[in-house]
Amino acid sequence: MRAIASSVCTWRTIYVNRRKRSNILQFTGFVVPATFIWLTVVIIPFIYGVWITFTDWNGLAIEIHSVGLQNYVNVLKDPTFITAFQKTVIYAVFTVAASNLLGFVLALALTSGIKGQGLFRTGFFTPNIIGGIILGYIWNFIFTYAFTAFGKLINVDWMKTSWLTNPTRALIALIVVSSWQMSGYLMVIYIAGLSNISSELVEAAKVDGATSLQTVLRVKLPLIKNTIAICVFLSITRTFMSFDMNLSLTAGGPFKSTELIAYKIYQKAFTSMDFGEGQAMAMVLFVIVATISLLQVYFTRKGAND
């Protein structure tokens, strides 16, 4: 009996050890590749970018000299960077407000049970799939040729010339197109939030005599606070880092009136070949976006707890 018990214990120990080795191999197989990709794509380039901000590297030179904090000093003293940041703030405020409002209205309409709402959802989400570069060139053609031709046809003076040739209208055009593109993406998130609202609560509000507007304001909006916070966070991040639409639609023109901060960084690094100062601008942008995001998360959690 002792021999049998000893044999059973031995086999049990061998089985347990094999299971441990199998679990370790499985863990290693899943974690190591993901960690390697994360390190090589995110962490190492980030550290390398921080180091570049303290150098005078132009992207080609073999010899790289340290300049300390001079790049950051130059960025904060650069009036064109301050102007680009101000333009970005204006662009972000109006785009975030317009895209979230439009996305929420579309979500309300497409969760009301109308016929073909699945097809409409696909149609409104499609611009977000196409991408900013292609959409920018398409809308550039529309503003330059289609709108002007229509303006001449109906004899409306402000439509006879392209919006992209006027500094104020060019920024408005950038806001309109960006809001139109982003609203479809936010619409999907709002639909997910609205779909989780209990139909019994909505029916109870209607029984109590609430109008459609009151139901939206008093029932639906309070129940999707977290969804709204997520959409605002995503839209703020995307607008502050907007580059592709800015490049293809206006290219920062006319007269740099639509040069947003991400496009300014691109110009500084790849056009002026000043990677040190350009990367310093990118780090300043990173700090700004991270600060805004952390503040939003803090006040969102505080509001939810209250």
Side-chain angles (χ1 to χ4, degrees), residues 69-188:
L69 297 174
Q70 188 59 45
N71 287 325
Y72 290 97
V73 174
N74 294 338
V75 168
L76 297 178
K77 289 183 177 181
D78 186 358
T80 60
F81 178 79
I82 303 299
T83 302
F85 176 72
Q86 293 172 344
K87 294 287 184 183
T88 305
V89 171
I90 296 172
Y91 165 80
V93 169
F94 285 99
T95 303
V96 168
S99 60
N100 277 275
L101 178 60
L102 182 56
F104 179 70
V105 171
L106 290 174
L108 281 177
L110 298 180
T111 53
S112 61
I114 62 174
K115 292 183 179 180
Q117 64 182 22
L119 180 62
F120 285 118
R121 290 178 184 180
T122 303
F124 287 123
F125 184 73
T126 300
N128 189 74
I129 300 175
I130 296 175
I133 291 291
I134 297 175
L135 283 179
Y137 285 123
I138 292 173
W139 277 95
N140 187 299
F141 177 84
I142 292 173
F143 280 118
T144 303
Y145 299 103
F147 278 7
T148 55
F150 182 71
K152 293 175 182 177
L153 181 65
I154 62 176
N155 196 27
V156 177
D157 291 336
W158 62 273
M159 291 185 64
K160 291 181 180 180
T161 58
S162 174
W163 283 22
L164 305 181
T165 60
N166 181 281
T168 302
R169 292 180 184 175
L171 185 59
I172 295 174
L174 186 60
I175 292 171
V176 169
V177 177
S178 299
S179 302
W180 170 76
Q181 181 196 20
M182 198 184 305
S183 61
Y185 174 71
L186 300 178
M187 174 199 70
V188 174

Side-chain angles (χ1 to χ4, degrees), residues 222-242:
L223 292 175
I224 61 168
K225 283 183 178 180
N226 291 334
T227 303
I228 295 173
I230 292 171
C231 288
V232 172
F233 168 76
L234 292 174
S235 54
I236 288 176
T237 304
R238 289 185 61 169
T239 51
F240 266 92
M241 296 185 177
S242 178

Side-chain angles (χ1 to χ4, degrees), residues 15-31:
Y15 175 75
V16 171
N17 291 334
R18 286 181 178 178
R19 284 295 301 269
K20 287 182 178 180
R21 285 196 295 269
S22 177
N23 292 336
I24 291 173
L25 289 174
Q26 289 179 4
F27 178 81
T28 304
F30 281 107
V31 173

